[in-house]
Amino acid sequence: MLAYTRQGCGAPLVLVHGFPLDHTTWEPLLPYLTPHFDVILPDLSGFGDSAALETAPDMEAYAAALVGLLDALQLPQSFVAGHSMGGYVSLAFARCYGQRLLGLGLIATQALPDIPERKASRYATAAQVAEQGAVVVADAMSTKLSANPAHAPILRNLILRQSPIGIIAALKAMAERPDLTPLLSSFTFPVAIVHGLADDLIPPDRSREMKTIISHAHFAEIPGIGHMPMMEAPQAAAGALKGLLAPGLPKDGR
Ligand code: MLT
């Protein structure tokens, strides 16, 4: 079973971390969310204290491990919110286990797949990580994740704690993820979309495109914030997720 921590009271909300990080990235949100939600913070397979995937890596395998955790916790339905790669996993969750969703949060993420160049660079990075370890992605990413330079050493240490096996699996899963844009128009549950306007890793346009399709989604763009809204602007990010509890309705009123 996935490693996790749990805190708070209310409707269950699973927060799915991004690459190559772990559940601790969500901790700044807890004071704002725990009065409203039963917050569950898993480590994705191969990250933090969770064992690596035993199957070929794809987003559905990460989502299946989340479902295993929710089964073990006897939670038939929950809100799920994902950051970046966690968003890719959350979208796979919506595709495979949509009936288990109370609502979906999409933070600094996208429904589009990798362009061929990005896919090739993921495989090149995976090969380098196999030789040199997590330091490869720590060097490449730790200064780009947050617009706040004070976060860089914290993120670097966090990345260095992750296992190369977990990092390599996630790189392959991200490279092979399908285009889930066609899925978005089927969402009838509450959705919250959050993006920092200074995100250097995933352009804010990716969230705008999702909002155009999911017209009932709560949508928050946060000026001056990079790829880590939960660390850089926790109150604003939590405020957007609280919107899941006061949903707008899809246009046809379902
Ligand atoms: C993440 O933050 O999870 C990743 O940077 C996402 C990606 O590389 O596509």
Side-chain angles (χ1 to χ4, degrees), residues 18-19 84-85 88 118 122 141 174 201 227:
F19 171 87
S84 200
M85 174 185 156
Y88 310 158
R118 183 81 181 112
R122 303 247 200 227
M141 292 183 73
M174 287 194 288
L201 294 185
H227 191 58

Side-chain angles (χ1 to χ4, degrees), residues 2-3 17-23 42-52 62 85 161-163 165-171:
L2 296 180
H17 65 80
F19 171 87
L21 306 168
D22 67 23
H23 76 277
D43 285 331
L44 284 172
S45 302
F47 291 94
D49 290 328
S50 289
Y62 290 101
M85 174 185 156
R161 288 206 297 272
Q162 307 309 318
S163 95
I165 290 172
I167 292 172
I168 292 166
L171 284 163

Side-chain angles (χ1 to χ4, degrees), residues 7-253:
Q7 220 182 100
C9 282
L13 168 64
V14 184
L15 297 176
V16 188
H17 65 80
F19 171 87
L21 306 168
D22 67 23
H23 76 277
T24 57
T25 51
W26 296 108
E27 284 170 354
L29 288 189
L30 289 173
Y32 305 104
L33 291 180
T34 50
H36 309 277
F37 293 100
D38 170 12
V39 182
I40 295 141
L41 303 181
D43 285 331
L44 284 172
S45 302
F47 291 94
D49 290 328
S50 289
L53 287 174
E54 286 175 6
T55 56
D58 58 31
M59 290 303 155
E60 292 181 7
Y62 290 101
L66 281 183
V67 164
L69 173 62
L70 296 177
D71 285 345
L73 298 178
Q74 300 187 332
L75 293 171
Q77 284 198 309
S78 54
F79 292 99
V80 174
H83 166 244
S84 200
M85 174 185 156
Y88 310 158
V89 175
S90 302
L91 287 167
F93 188 103
R95 182 165 84 156
C96 302
Y97 311 102
Q99 73 286 358
R100 300 194 58 158
L101 275 180
L102 294 171
L104 185 66
L106 297 168
I107 301 172
T109 192
Q110 60 189 334
L112 287 174
D114 280 358
I115 58 171
E117 293 76 10
R118 183 81 181 112
K119 192 168 168 167
S121 83
R122 303 247 200 227
Y123 279 100
T125 304
Q128 278 181 292
V129 172
E131 279 183 12
Q132 297 165 46
V135 69
V136 172
V137 277
D139 284 348
M141 292 183 73
S142 52
T143 56
K144 291 192 190 142
L145 284 162
S146 171
N148 179 350
H151 290 146
I154 299 165
L155 289 162
R156 183 178 171 79
N157 286 333
L158 183 54
I159 296 171
L160 289 173
R161 288 206 297 272
Q162 307 309 318
S163 95
I165 290 172
I167 292 172
I168 292 166
L171 284 163
K172 291 182 178 166
M174 287 194 288
E176 299 301 333
R177 72 188 194 280
D179 183 2
L180 289 188
T181 308
L183 181 73
L184 303 179
S185 59
S186 71
F187 291 170
T188 53
F189 40 69
V191 176
I193 298 174
V194 183
H195 219 112
L197 287 175
D199 190 328
D200 274 346
L201 294 185
I202 298 182
D205 274 353
R206 297 293 89 81
S207 277
R208 293 180 188 137
E209 290 152 9
M210 293 195 290
K211 165 64 183 167
T212 304
I213 300 169
I214 317 168
S215 56
H216 67 283
H218 289 264
F219 181 59
E221 291 188 322
I222 316 179
I225 295 304
H227 191 58
M228 302 297 296
M230 71 291 277
M231 290 175 72
E232 300 176 63
Q235 191 166 6
L241 291 178
K242 279 190 260 171
L244 291 170
L245 294 172
L249 286 174
K251 276 201 184 109
D252 64 2

